[in-house]
Amino acid sequence: MTVACAAWVFADAALAQQPEIVVLDFVGRGGDKARIQVIRALKSRASFEAKGSAEKVLSARGLSGTSVSGRAAVAAELGVDYVIWGGVRGKGSGARAKIRIAGPKGKEIAAREAGPPGTSKGNARIQNAAVSLLGKAVETVPPGSFNQERSSGRKGATAAPLAAAAPAAGFAGSYSPGGAAGGSVPYSPGARGGTGGAGSAALSPFAGAF
């Protein structure tokens, strides 16, 4: 099996887990149209959390969706694997949507440009770009990997003091704590495919450079 084929097989297997995502606002003229196309492209490939829930997290913390800390807070609070955001630059046939995706730690994984939004060909390009972007994210940071990492860390932190305390309590031999459940934290899908309003870029928690 070639490296390319192996990557696609891996991505397909990971996508079968239905990654959890949230799609934030796309700033700029035509941003709402671009966002809708991204959601349409991914609706059969992922479960969605509502944009409004992400906005509440950002507002409560005084953060922006364009910042690493803002995206990390959204991912942690909503339990999503990926955060998607972006914007549109240019006008008419020259308009292009830039789609970005970040993992659960808020760091950008990859980005794609396509468009123009609002035209049949442009919308198709945006959808293709969104599918490609999610595939890249799944290949780079598999769904649930961050939750597994945190779960392993908690298990290790709990096991150490228990093992140290075992001899003092009069137990013979080594002590191996059991019953710790591994694996990822199960997700509860949120509002599916909601688009929300584009709003004003000046008032949006996602306003800024994209």
Side-chain angles (χ1 to χ4, degrees), residues 21-42:
I21 66 175
V22 62
V23 183
L24 306 182
D25 271 338
F26 275 54
V27 300
R29 187 173 184 178
D32 55 338
K33 295 178 180 179
R35 181 176 179 273
I36 288 171
Q37 296 308 316
V38 170
I39 292 172
R40 286 179 178 173
L42 304 180

Side-chain angles (χ1 to χ4, degrees), residues 106-184:
K107 295 181 180 179
E108 182 176 316
I109 298 171
R112 298 282 189 276
E113 281 193 4
T119 67
S120 57
K121 289 184 178 180
N123 289 344
R125 293 186 190 113
I126 291 172
Q127 291 189 25
N128 289 336
V131 171
S132 172
L133 202 58
L134 181 60
K136 176 65 175 177
V138 165
E139 180 184 342
T140 306
V141 184
S145 59
F146 185 52
N147 284 324
Q148 289 174 355
E149 179 183 318
R150 287 191 298 181
S151 178
S152 297
R154 286 195 298 268
K155 287 170 64 179
T158 302
L162 285 174
F171 290 108
S174 62
Y175 179 76
S176 177
S184 61

